[in-house]
Amino acid sequence: MKRADLDWAHLPFGYQKTDWNIRYTWRDGRWDEGVLSRDETIPIHIAATCLHYGQEAFEGLKAYEQKNGEVVVFRVEENAKRLRRSCEKTFMAVVPEDLFIEAVFRVVNANRRFIPPYGHGASLYIRPLVIGTGPQVGVKPATEYTFLILVTPVGPYFKTGFKPVHLVVEDEYDRAAPHGLGDVKVGGNYAAGLRASLRAKQAGFAEVLYVDALHKHYIDESGPANFFGITPDGRYVTPQSPSILPSITNMSLVAIAEELGMRPERRPVAIEEIFHFVDAGCCGTAAVITPVASITWRDRKVVYAKSDEPGEYCRKLYRKLTGIQLGEEEDRRGWIRKVPPEA
Ligand code: PLP
Ligand code: COI
């Protein structure tokens, strides 16, 4: 296999055409065999429910080339389970976990030449999507669905990579309501966040940090990632909230923090607690761990990183997490799945 001719060390987090995507159709109560396609577009009915009533859910995970040349994915079963929950909550056809994993393996294999080589800080981003494609005009779930996966090689989500970023607390616009769809991965949550995110960027921040919509008092998460803070005695604290996405990266960091003796706590975190943390980070598949340099809340600001250097705790967690993903550290918990070559 000849690898694609790309500048692997400087890839943005953006869409880059690859060779194949994969698509499955659900009709008459079952998914078909799926087909690899070179087409970057999909024909869609003008009354499809994804266009009118938001029947849409997606996922995000990555394939890595490890130190020994093996191609692997990280905790793919968790993405499969989360997509199931997203589909159930939006009344869409559920993608069974084994079908999800098979589809990931097929599409990664078909695009092997786009998997960034080990050691360049890049990976192959995998974006699964389920949409209601059947027509409805009344507010009803579709009778036909498409499950598709596109892949694209990416670099860091935040332009600075593993460098601290500045956040601003957003307590005017809400991202998601407590008993709404904030805990699943649906497109509408991101549409709801566009205005706040744009405003933050125009003011010189990398992203927003949302507080909960009900009390405007507890930390929820950042626009594209979960949040954690580190207490002066080295505890890993991350918000528990019904309106945030259960991040697989965060779930993994909780386990890593436990192993590192950082006594993780998942609980409601009052916004004032930002002033007691000594280090903080955003975490997610795209964000990996993005250290937080400062948080601005109304007219107050807390600074965690005075230079361009990540804090000690973010560094420790980052090394361990990426070490497991890249095969530099032992995978003791079975988080890594090798992509079988002829899946
Ligand atoms: N929160 C939001 C809103 C996200 O979009 C993501 C990205 O998937 C995350 C958190 C992080 O989740 P994960 O670690 O599973 O990628
Ligand atoms: C991911 O981390 O996979 C996401 O989906 C976040 C997205 C906003 C890029």
Side-chain angles (χ1 to χ4, degrees):
M1 172 211 59
K2 190 172 174 314
R3 225 182 281 258
D5 184 21
L6 294 171
D7 184 2
W8 302 107
H10 300 100
L11 289 177
F13 188 91
Y15 177 76
Q16 152 99 42
K17 186 176 179 346
T18 53
D19 288 335
W20 300 98
N21 56 77
I22 193 161
R23 7 179 122 187
Y24 295 74
T25 302
W26 187 90
R27 198 176 284 135
D28 301 327
R30 60 176 209 90
W31 291 102
D32 69 7
E33 299 292 295
V35 60
L36 285 162
S37 169
R38 287 190 183 276
D39 195 346
E40 287 175 282
T41 65
I42 44 175
I44 197 158
H45 195 286
I46 54 174
T49 61
C50 66
L51 300 178
H52 297 257
Y53 301 128
Q55 273 202 304
E56 184 271 356
F58 66 102
E59 268 306 322
L61 66 157
K62 283 174 172 172
Y64 307 85
E65 183 181 274
Q66 292 195 321
K67 199 175 173 185
N68 63 3
E70 212 83 85
V71 172
V72 304
V73 287
F74 183 70
R75 306 197 75 174
V76 59
E77 299 83 2
E78 294 299 329
N79 293 94
K81 283 194 242 163
R82 191 170 63 190
L83 184 63
R84 169 186 283 277
R85 292 197 298 274
S86 299
C87 290
E88 284 169 352
K89 246 187 143 171
T90 49
F91 275 90
M92 295 198 288
V94 161
V95 178
E97 279 86 340
D98 53 352
L99 178 69
F100 181 91
I101 295 169
E102 171 203 291
V104 166
F105 287 170
R106 280 176 77 184
V107 73
V108 169
N109 261 318
N111 290 287
R112 277 204 178 231
R113 70 190 191 96
F114 289 97
I115 299 169
Y118 168 77
H120 288 75
S123 52
L124 187 73
Y125 188 65
I126 303 166
R127 172 51 68 81
L129 183 75
V130 179
I131 49 176
T133 40
Q136 295 287 8
V137 177
V139 181
K140 280 183 276 206
T143 52
E144 213 176 283
Y145 293 87
T146 295
F147 165 46
L148 72 83
I149 307 184
L150 66 88
V151 299
T152 190
V154 295
Y157 185 75
F158 288 100
K159 281 197 293 289
T160 48
F162 188 53
K163 287 273 171 12
V165 298
H166 300 275
L167 300 183
V168 61
V169 175
E170 174 58 61
D171 51 13
E172 183 185 357
Y173 299 122
D174 300 325
R175 172 188 168 273
H179 301 288
L181 295 173
D183 62 340
V184 289
K185 204 160 169 63
V186 298
N189 292 340
Y190 300 80
L194 286 175
R195 184 185 296 276
S197 177
L198 202 70
R199 184 166 70 169
K201 285 173 188 157
Q202 279 165 351
F205 299 99
E207 253 302 338
V208 300
L209 183 62
Y210 287 102
V211 289
D212 78 290
L214 184 60
H215 309 92
K216 303 270 184 189
H217 177 64
Y218 298 101
I219 301 175
D220 256 3
E221 63 176 329
S222 178
N226 274 186
F227 174 84
F228 63 85
I230 309 291
T231 60
D233 60 348
R235 278 174 291 132
Y236 180 99
V237 178
T238 193
Q240 182 163 49
S241 161
S243 48
I244 66 179
L245 191 73
S247 155
I248 296 158
T249 313
N250 198 5
M251 195 198 302
S252 310
L253 289 175
V254 165
I256 291 172
E258 185 79 57
E259 177 187 324
L260 295 175
M262 294 171 68
R263 292 170 293 154
E265 291 175 13
R266 194 190 285 281
R267 57 168 173 78
V269 181
I271 186 67
E272 289 84 1
E273 288 192 53
I274 59 173
F275 298 105
H276 305 304
F277 293 141
V278 294
D279 196 357
C282 294
C283 61
T285 298
V288 193
I289 291 178
T290 301
V292 175
S294 74
I295 303 176
T296 299
W297 179 38
R298 299 179 184 158
D299 56 354
R300 298 169 73 191
K301 179 175 177 177
V302 57
V303 177
Y304 304 118
K306 294 203 177 57
S307 69
D308 238 9
E309 289 310 308
E312 171 200 348
Y313 293 98
C314 280
R315 261 188 288 127
K316 265 205 273 194
L317 293 164
Y318 182 88
R319 216 177 304 126
K320 199 85 188 168
L321 174 71
T322 57
I324 296 169
Q325 291 167 336
L326 297 173
E328 299 157 349
E329 294 256 353
E330 193 192 346
D331 169 32
R332 291 192 289 108
R333 300 175 189 83
W335 286 348
I336 297 297
R337 279 284 287 270
K338 190 175 148 184
V339 177
E342 64 289 335

